[in-house]
mmCIF file of all heavy atoms in Angstrom:
data_model
loop_
_atom_site.group_PDB
_atom_site.id
_atom_site.type_symbol
_atom_site.label_atom_id
_atom_site.label_comp_id
_atom_site.label_asym_id
_atom_site.label_seq_id
_atom_site.Cartn_x
_atom_site.Cartn_y
_atom_site.Cartn_z
ATOM 1 N N PRO O 1 -9.177 13.159 -3.158
ATOM 2 C CA PRO O 1 -8.366 13.106 -4.387
ATOM 3 C C PRO O 1 -7.162 14.033 -4.354
ATOM 4 O O PRO O 1 -6.324 13.999 -5.248
ATOM 5 C CB PRO O 1 -9.355 13.518 -5.481
ATOM 6 C CG PRO O 1 -10.351 14.369 -4.778
ATOM 7 C CD PRO O 1 -10.483 13.821 -3.391
ATOM 8 N N ARG O 2 -7.061 14.867 -3.328
ATOM 9 C CA ARG O 2 -5.915 15.766 -3.214
ATOM 10 C C ARG O 2 -4.764 15.059 -2.503
ATOM 11 O O ARG O 2 -4.860 13.914 -2.150
ATOM 12 C CB ARG O 2 -6.323 17.025 -2.456
ATOM 13 C CG ARG O 2 -7.447 17.828 -3.144
ATOM 14 C CD ARG O 2 -8.019 18.872 -2.215
ATOM 15 N NE ARG O 2 -8.641 18.260 -1.044
ATOM 16 C CZ ARG O 2 -9.139 18.955 -0.020
ATOM 17 N NH1 ARG O 2 -9.082 20.269 -0.031
ATOM 18 N NH2 ARG O 2 -9.697 18.317 1.004
ATOM 19 N N ARG O 3 -3.680 15.773 -2.326
ATOM 20 C CA ARG O 3 -2.505 15.276 -1.599
ATOM 21 C C ARG O 3 -1.996 13.956 -2.166
ATOM 22 O O ARG O 3 -1.586 13.055 -1.430
ATOM 23 C CB ARG O 3 -2.834 15.104 -0.118
ATOM 24 C CG ARG O 3 -3.204 16.412 0.570
ATOM 25 C CD ARG O 3 -3.503 16.169 2.039
ATOM 26 N NE ARG O 3 -3.799 17.417 2.723
ATOM 27 C CZ ARG O 3 -4.126 17.500 4.016
ATOM 28 N NH1 ARG O 3 -4.196 16.396 4.738
ATOM 29 N NH2 ARG O 3 -4.384 18.658 4.562
ATOM 30 N N VAL O 4 -2.013 13.839 -3.480
ATOM 31 C CA VAL O 4 -1.537 12.611 -4.105
ATOM 32 C C VAL O 4 -0.067 12.365 -3.796
ATOM 33 O O VAL O 4 0.339 11.240 -3.460
ATOM 34 C CB VAL O 4 -1.779 12.667 -5.633
ATOM 35 C CG1 VAL O 4 -1.049 11.529 -6.333
ATOM 36 C CG2 VAL O 4 -3.268 12.610 -5.925
ATOM 37 N N TRP O 5 0.737 13.402 -3.874
ATOM 38 C CA TRP O 5 2.169 13.238 -3.643
ATOM 39 C C TRP O 5 2.461 12.862 -2.198
ATOM 40 O O TRP O 5 3.270 11.968 -1.925
ATOM 41 C CB TRP O 5 2.913 14.527 -4.011
ATOM 42 C CG TRP O 5 3.027 14.716 -5.482
ATOM 43 C CD1 TRP O 5 2.219 15.460 -6.289
ATOM 44 C CD2 TRP O 5 4.006 14.125 -6.340
ATOM 45 N NE1 TRP O 5 2.625 15.380 -7.595
ATOM 46 C CE2 TRP O 5 3.721 14.568 -7.668
ATOM 47 C CE3 TRP O 5 5.091 13.271 -6.127
ATOM 48 C CZ2 TRP O 5 4.487 14.181 -8.749
ATOM 49 C CZ3 TRP O 5 5.858 12.896 -7.218
ATOM 50 C CH2 TRP O 5 5.547 13.347 -8.512
ATOM 51 N N ARG O 6 1.784 13.533 -1.282
ATOM 52 C CA ARG O 6 2.023 13.257 0.132
ATOM 53 C C ARG O 6 1.604 11.834 0.491
ATOM 54 O O ARG O 6 2.373 11.083 1.104
ATOM 55 C CB ARG O 6 1.256 14.257 0.991
ATOM 56 C CG ARG O 6 1.376 14.005 2.483
ATOM 57 C CD ARG O 6 0.542 14.996 3.265
ATOM 58 N NE ARG O 6 0.573 14.714 4.693
ATOM 59 C CZ ARG O 6 -0.090 15.387 5.614
ATOM 60 N NH1 ARG O 6 -0.864 16.416 5.234
ATOM 61 N NH2 ARG O 6 -0.028 15.063 6.886
ATOM 62 N N HIS O 7 0.384 11.468 0.102
ATOM 63 C CA HIS O 7 -0.095 10.128 0.415
ATOM 64 C C HIS O 7 0.705 9.054 -0.317
ATOM 65 O O HIS O 7 0.969 7.977 0.227
ATOM 66 C CB HIS O 7 -1.579 10.007 0.073
ATOM 67 C CG HIS O 7 -2.454 10.819 0.970
ATOM 68 N ND1 HIS O 7 -3.719 11.250 0.608
ATOM 69 C CD2 HIS O 7 -2.254 11.310 2.211
ATOM 70 C CE1 HIS O 7 -4.252 11.942 1.588
ATOM 71 N NE2 HIS O 7 -3.379 12.000 2.568
ATOM 72 N N GLY O 8 1.094 9.347 -1.559
ATOM 73 C CA GLY O 8 1.892 8.387 -2.314
ATOM 74 C C GLY O 8 3.261 8.167 -1.695
ATOM 75 O O GLY O 8 3.774 7.039 -1.662
ATOM 76 N N THR O 9 3.871 9.242 -1.209
ATOM 77 C CA THR O 9 5.185 9.108 -0.566
ATOM 78 C C THR O 9 5.084 8.269 0.700
ATOM 79 O O THR O 9 5.909 7.370 0.941
ATOM 80 C CB THR O 9 5.741 10.506 -0.231
ATOM 81 O OG1 THR O 9 5.877 11.266 -1.436
ATOM 82 C CG2 THR O 9 7.099 10.391 0.452
ATOM 83 N N LEU O 10 4.079 8.554 1.530
ATOM 84 C CA LEU O 10 3.879 7.749 2.736
ATOM 85 C C LEU O 10 3.614 6.290 2.377
ATOM 86 O O LEU O 10 4.111 5.372 3.037
ATOM 87 C CB LEU O 10 2.715 8.312 3.553
ATOM 88 C CG LEU O 10 2.963 9.644 4.265
ATOM 89 C CD1 LEU O 10 1.669 10.155 4.894
ATOM 90 C CD2 LEU O 10 4.048 9.491 5.326
ATOM 91 N N LEU O 11 2.837 6.087 1.326
ATOM 92 C CA LEU O 11 2.532 4.732 0.881
ATOM 93 C C LEU O 11 3.806 3.983 0.506
ATOM 94 O O LEU O 11 4.011 2.829 0.905
ATOM 95 C CB LEU O 11 1.572 4.776 -0.304
ATOM 96 C CG LEU O 11 1.228 3.437 -0.961
ATOM 97 C CD1 LEU O 11 0.513 2.532 0.026
ATOM 98 C CD2 LEU O 11 0.362 3.674 -2.201
ATOM 99 N N GLY O 12 4.682 4.623 -0.248
ATOM 100 C CA GLY O 12 5.927 3.979 -0.643
ATOM 101 C C GLY O 12 6.803 3.629 0.545
ATOM 102 O O GLY O 12 7.405 2.551 0.597
ATOM 103 N N LEU O 13 6.882 4.534 1.522
ATOM 104 C CA LEU O 13 7.686 4.262 2.714
ATOM 105 C C LEU O 13 7.119 3.095 3.520
ATOM 106 O O LEU O 13 7.867 2.237 4.003
ATOM 107 C CB LEU O 13 7.757 5.527 3.584
ATOM 108 C CG LEU O 13 8.503 6.722 2.979
ATOM 109 C CD1 LEU O 13 8.370 7.943 3.881
ATOM 110 C CD2 LEU O 13 9.977 6.389 2.754
ATOM 111 N N LEU O 14 5.792 3.054 3.658
ATOM 112 C CA LEU O 14 5.177 1.979 4.435
ATOM 113 C C LEU O 14 5.293 0.635 3.725
ATOM 114 O O LEU O 14 5.483 -0.402 4.375
ATOM 115 C CB LEU O 14 3.708 2.311 4.712
ATOM 116 C CG LEU O 14 3.466 3.457 5.696
ATOM 117 C CD1 LEU O 14 1.978 3.735 5.832
ATOM 118 C CD2 LEU O 14 4.068 3.138 7.057
ATOM 119 N N VAL O 15 5.162 0.639 2.414
ATOM 120 C CA VAL O 15 5.323 -0.609 1.661
ATOM 121 C C VAL O 15 6.747 -1.133 1.829
ATOM 122 O O VAL O 15 6.963 -2.340 2.019
ATOM 123 C CB VAL O 15 4.969 -0.398 0.183
ATOM 124 C CG1 VAL O 15 5.466 -1.568 -0.665
ATOM 125 C CG2 VAL O 15 3.461 -0.242 0.013
ATOM 126 N N ALA O 16 7.717 -0.234 1.762
ATOM 127 C CA ALA O 16 9.108 -0.655 1.952
ATOM 128 C C ALA O 16 9.303 -1.243 3.350
ATOM 129 O O ALA O 16 9.970 -2.268 3.525
ATOM 130 C CB ALA O 16 10.047 0.534 1.733
ATOM 131 N N TYR O 17 8.699 -0.619 4.332
ATOM 132 C CA TYR O 17 8.832 -1.129 5.701
ATOM 133 C C TYR O 17 8.143 -2.483 5.846
ATOM 134 O O TYR O 17 8.668 -3.379 6.514
ATOM 135 C CB TYR O 17 8.241 -0.124 6.688
ATOM 136 C CG TYR O 17 8.660 -0.395 8.116
ATOM 137 C CD1 TYR O 17 9.857 0.109 8.605
ATOM 138 C CD2 TYR O 17 7.872 -1.161 8.967
ATOM 139 C CE1 TYR O 17 10.248 -0.138 9.917
ATOM 140 C CE2 TYR O 17 8.255 -1.424 10.269
ATOM 141 C CZ TYR O 17 9.442 -0.904 10.743
ATOM 142 O OH TYR O 17 9.830 -1.174 12.027
ATOM 143 N N GLN O 18 6.964 -2.631 5.216
ATOM 144 C CA GLN O 18 6.244 -3.900 5.306
ATOM 145 C C GLN O 18 7.066 -5.042 4.711
ATOM 146 O O GLN O 18 6.997 -6.172 5.191
ATOM 147 C CB GLN O 18 4.897 -3.804 4.589
ATOM 148 C CG GLN O 18 4.074 -5.086 4.585
ATOM 149 C CD GLN O 18 3.720 -5.577 5.972
ATOM 150 O OE1 GLN O 18 3.151 -4.854 6.775
ATOM 151 N NE2 GLN O 18 4.045 -6.828 6.258
ATOM 152 N N LEU O 19 7.857 -4.760 3.703
ATOM 153 C CA LEU O 19 8.698 -5.795 3.121
ATOM 154 C C LEU O 19 9.640 -6.368 4.167
ATOM 155 O O LEU O 19 9.940 -7.568 4.154
ATOM 156 C CB LEU O 19 9.505 -5.239 1.944
ATOM 157 C CG LEU O 19 10.286 -6.292 1.143
ATOM 158 C CD1 LEU O 19 9.380 -6.894 0.082
ATOM 159 C CD2 LEU O 19 11.527 -5.702 0.498
ATOM 160 N N PHE O 20 10.115 -5.514 5.095
ATOM 161 C CA PHE O 20 11.037 -5.980 6.128
ATOM 162 C C PHE O 20 10.304 -6.545 7.341
ATOM 163 O O PHE O 20 10.947 -7.011 8.273
ATOM 164 C CB PHE O 20 11.961 -4.836 6.552
ATOM 165 C CG PHE O 20 12.916 -4.425 5.461
ATOM 166 C CD1 PHE O 20 12.724 -3.257 4.753
ATOM 167 C CD2 PHE O 20 13.990 -5.230 5.131
ATOM 168 C CE1 PHE O 20 13.588 -2.887 3.742
ATOM 169 C CE2 PHE O 20 14.868 -4.875 4.128
ATOM 170 C CZ PHE O 20 14.666 -3.694 3.420
ATOM 171 N N LEU O 21 8.981 -6.480 7.332
ATOM 172 C CA LEU O 21 8.193 -7.195 8.323
ATOM 173 C C LEU O 21 7.833 -8.589 7.816
ATOM 174 O O LEU O 21 7.963 -9.576 8.534
ATOM 175 C CB LEU O 21 6.910 -6.424 8.650
ATOM 176 C CG LEU O 21 7.054 -5.140 9.455
ATOM 177 C CD1 LEU O 21 5.719 -4.403 9.518
ATOM 178 C CD2 LEU O 21 7.546 -5.449 10.871
ATOM 179 N N GLY O 22 7.341 -8.638 6.569
ATOM 180 C CA GLY O 22 6.963 -9.916 5.996
ATOM 181 C C GLY O 22 6.563 -9.760 4.545
ATOM 182 O O GLY O 22 5.586 -9.076 4.239
ATOM 183 N N GLU O 23 7.324 -10.374 3.668
ATOM 184 C CA GLU O 23 7.039 -10.259 2.233
ATOM 185 C C GLU O 23 5.739 -10.966 1.874
ATOM 186 O O GLU O 23 5.008 -10.521 0.982
ATOM 187 C CB GLU O 23 8.204 -10.837 1.426
ATOM 188 C CG GLU O 23 9.484 -10.043 1.553
ATOM 189 C CD GLU O 23 10.589 -10.597 0.669
ATOM 190 O OE1 GLU O 23 10.276 -11.114 -0.416
ATOM 191 O OE2 GLU O 23 11.769 -10.505 1.073
ATOM 192 N N GLU O 24 5.434 -12.076 2.553
ATOM 193 C CA GLU O 24 4.238 -12.823 2.200
ATOM 194 C C GLU O 24 2.981 -12.013 2.500
ATOM 195 O O GLU O 24 2.016 -12.010 1.735
ATOM 196 C CB GLU O 24 4.207 -14.151 2.959
ATOM 197 C CG GLU O 24 3.213 -15.145 2.392
ATOM 198 C CD GLU O 24 3.400 -16.536 2.945
ATOM 199 O OE1 GLU O 24 4.410 -16.785 3.632
ATOM 200 O OE2 GLU O 24 2.534 -17.394 2.687
ATOM 201 N N VAL O 25 2.990 -11.303 3.615
ATOM 202 C CA VAL O 25 1.859 -10.427 3.938
ATOM 203 C C VAL O 25 1.712 -9.349 2.875
ATOM 204 O O VAL O 25 0.595 -9.012 2.459
ATOM 205 C CB VAL O 25 2.045 -9.803 5.333
ATOM 206 C CG1 VAL O 25 1.049 -8.679 5.561
ATOM 207 C CG2 VAL O 25 1.878 -10.853 6.414
ATOM 208 N N LEU O 26 2.840 -8.807 2.418
ATOM 209 C CA LEU O 26 2.779 -7.765 1.395
ATOM 210 C C LEU O 26 2.207 -8.303 0.095
ATOM 211 O O LEU O 26 1.399 -7.631 -0.568
ATOM 212 C CB LEU O 26 4.183 -7.189 1.165
ATOM 213 C CG LEU O 26 4.277 -6.024 0.176
ATOM 214 C CD1 LEU O 26 3.399 -4.859 0.604
ATOM 215 C CD2 LEU O 26 5.734 -5.563 0.035
ATOM 216 N N VAL O 27 2.596 -9.516 -0.291
ATOM 217 C CA VAL O 27 2.041 -10.122 -1.503
ATOM 218 C C VAL O 27 0.537 -10.314 -1.360
ATOM 219 O O VAL O 27 -0.244 -9.970 -2.263
ATOM 220 C CB VAL O 27 2.737 -11.462 -1.805
ATOM 221 C CG1 VAL O 27 2.011 -12.209 -2.913
ATOM 222 C CG2 VAL O 27 4.191 -11.229 -2.206
ATOM 223 N N PHE O 28 0.106 -10.841 -0.227
ATOM 224 C CA PHE O 28 -1.327 -11.023 -0.003
ATOM 225 C C PHE O 28 -2.063 -9.691 -0.002
ATOM 226 O O PHE O 28 -3.184 -9.579 -0.492
ATOM 227 C CB PHE O 28 -1.555 -11.746 1.328
ATOM 228 C CG PHE O 28 -1.392 -13.239 1.256
ATOM 229 C CD1 PHE O 28 -0.553 -13.831 0.322
ATOM 230 C CD2 PHE O 28 -2.064 -14.070 2.121
ATOM 231 C CE1 PHE O 28 -0.394 -15.205 0.243
ATOM 232 C CE2 PHE O 28 -1.922 -15.446 2.067
ATOM 233 C CZ PHE O 28 -1.078 -16.013 1.124
ATOM 234 N N LEU O 29 -1.424 -8.690 0.558
ATOM 235 C CA LEU O 29 -2.040 -7.361 0.588
ATOM 236 C C LEU O 29 -2.255 -6.819 -0.819
ATOM 237 O O LEU O 29 -3.327 -6.298 -1.141
ATOM 238 C CB LEU O 29 -1.142 -6.412 1.386
ATOM 239 C CG LEU O 29 -1.506 -4.923 1.363
ATOM 240 C CD1 LEU O 29 -2.914 -4.702 1.890
ATOM 241 C CD2 LEU O 29 -0.491 -4.127 2.161
ATOM 242 N N VAL O 30 -1.253 -6.949 -1.669
ATOM 243 C CA VAL O 30 -1.373 -6.476 -3.044
ATOM 244 C C VAL O 30 -2.489 -7.225 -3.775
ATOM 245 O O VAL O 30 -3.333 -6.625 -4.457
ATOM 246 C CB VAL O 30 -0.031 -6.629 -3.791
ATOM 247 C CG1 VAL O 30 -0.197 -6.348 -5.279
ATOM 248 C CG2 VAL O 30 1.019 -5.701 -3.187
ATOM 249 N N LEU O 31 -2.502 -8.539 -3.631
ATOM 250 C CA LEU O 31 -3.527 -9.344 -4.303
ATOM 251 C C LEU O 31 -4.922 -9.009 -3.780
ATOM 252 O O LEU O 31 -5.875 -8.859 -4.563
ATOM 253 C CB LEU O 31 -3.240 -10.827 -4.087
ATOM 254 C CG LEU O 31 -1.958 -11.381 -4.712
ATOM 255 C CD1 LEU O 31 -1.731 -12.813 -4.251
ATOM 256 C CD2 LEU O 31 -2.015 -11.311 -6.223
ATOM 257 N N ALA O 32 -5.055 -8.884 -2.455
ATOM 258 C CA ALA O 32 -6.364 -8.608 -1.873
ATOM 259 C C ALA O 32 -6.850 -7.201 -2.229
ATOM 260 O O ALA O 32 -8.027 -7.006 -2.551
ATOM 261 C CB ALA O 32 -6.302 -8.781 -0.360
ATOM 262 N N ALA O 33 -5.942 -6.224 -2.162
ATOM 263 C CA ALA O 33 -6.335 -4.858 -2.501
ATOM 264 C C ALA O 33 -6.745 -4.760 -3.968
ATOM 265 O O ALA O 33 -7.713 -4.070 -4.310
ATOM 266 C CB ALA O 33 -5.187 -3.895 -2.199
ATOM 267 N N GLY O 34 -6.016 -5.440 -4.848
ATOM 268 C CA GLY O 34 -6.391 -5.437 -6.261
ATOM 269 C C GLY O 34 -7.735 -6.092 -6.492
ATOM 270 O O GLY O 34 -8.572 -5.583 -7.264
ATOM 271 N N THR O 35 -7.973 -7.216 -5.835
ATOM 272 C CA THR O 35 -9.269 -7.888 -5.961
ATOM 273 C C THR O 35 -10.394 -7.000 -5.460
ATOM 274 O O THR O 35 -11.456 -6.877 -6.096
ATOM 275 C CB THR O 35 -9.254 -9.206 -5.167
ATOM 276 O OG1 THR O 35 -8.209 -10.042 -5.658
ATOM 277 C CG2 THR O 35 -10.587 -9.931 -5.280
ATOM 278 N N PHE O 36 -10.188 -6.378 -4.306
ATOM 279 C CA PHE O 36 -11.206 -5.494 -3.742
ATOM 280 C C PHE O 36 -11.490 -4.322 -4.675
ATOM 281 O O PHE O 36 -12.646 -3.933 -4.888
ATOM 282 C CB PHE O 36 -10.762 -4.986 -2.376
ATOM 283 C CG PHE O 36 -11.673 -3.941 -1.810
ATOM 284 C CD1 PHE O 36 -12.844 -4.316 -1.167
ATOM 285 C CD2 PHE O 36 -11.373 -2.601 -1.917
ATOM 286 C CE1 PHE O 36 -13.706 -3.364 -0.652
ATOM 287 C CE2 PHE O 36 -12.223 -1.635 -1.410
ATOM 288 C CZ PHE O 36 -13.392 -2.010 -0.769
ATOM 289 N N ALA O 37 -10.425 -3.710 -5.225
ATOM 290 C CA ALA O 37 -10.610 -2.552 -6.098
ATOM 291 C C ALA O 37 -11.426 -2.922 -7.335
ATOM 292 O O ALA O 37 -12.331 -2.179 -7.745
ATOM 293 C CB ALA O 37 -9.245 -1.988 -6.506
ATOM 294 N N LEU O 38 -11.136 -4.066 -7.924
ATOM 295 C CA LEU O 38 -11.890 -4.492 -9.104
ATOM 296 C C LEU O 38 -13.345 -4.790 -8.741
ATOM 297 O O LEU O 38 -14.270 -4.417 -9.493
ATOM 298 C CB LEU O 38 -11.236 -5.733 -9.716
ATOM 299 C CG LEU O 38 -9.852 -5.526 -10.340
ATOM 300 C CD1 LEU O 38 -9.276 -6.861 -10.785
ATOM 301 C CD2 LEU O 38 -9.944 -4.557 -11.520
ATOM 302 N N ALA O 39 -13.549 -5.432 -7.603
ATOM 303 C CA ALA O 39 -14.919 -5.743 -7.187
ATOM 304 C C ALA O 39 -15.696 -4.476 -6.877
ATOM 305 O O ALA O 39 -16.884 -4.363 -7.214
ATOM 306 C CB ALA O 39 -14.892 -6.672 -5.970
ATOM 307 N N TYR O 40 -15.035 -3.507 -6.259
ATOM 308 C CA TYR O 40 -15.723 -2.250 -5.955
ATOM 309 C C TYR O 40 -16.043 -1.481 -7.233
ATOM 310 O O TYR O 40 -17.128 -0.895 -7.378
ATOM 311 C CB TYR O 40 -14.869 -1.383 -5.030
ATOM 312 C CG TYR O 40 -15.649 -0.213 -4.458
ATOM 313 C CD1 TYR O 40 -16.268 -0.327 -3.228
ATOM 314 C CD2 TYR O 40 -15.778 0.981 -5.158
ATOM 315 C CE1 TYR O 40 -16.999 0.725 -2.703
ATOM 316 C CE2 TYR O 40 -16.508 2.034 -4.652
ATOM 317 C CZ TYR O 40 -17.126 1.908 -3.423
ATOM 318 O OH TYR O 40 -17.860 2.943 -2.919
#
């Protein structure tokens, strides 16, 4: 639960990079991660 800022910053940079790899993968990732989080 610590290092929220550090992990969040890295997360934002990687998400931005993933957009330039493939937007469709990023959309699926968001949907799948949200589904998993709710199920967990």
Side-chain angles (χ1 to χ4, degrees):
R2 299 167 297 175
R3 297 181 177 179
V4 169
W5 285 96
R6 177 182 176 182
H7 291 157
T9 300
L10 289 173
L11 176 63
L13 294 174
L14 290 177
V15 166
Y17 195 86
Q18 178 60 55
L19 188 86
F20 292 105
L21 289 172
E23 293 184 33
E24 195 167 350
V25 168
L26 183 58
V27 170
F28 279 28
L29 171 59
V30 171
L31 295 173
T35 301
F36 173 82
L38 293 175
Y40 192 94

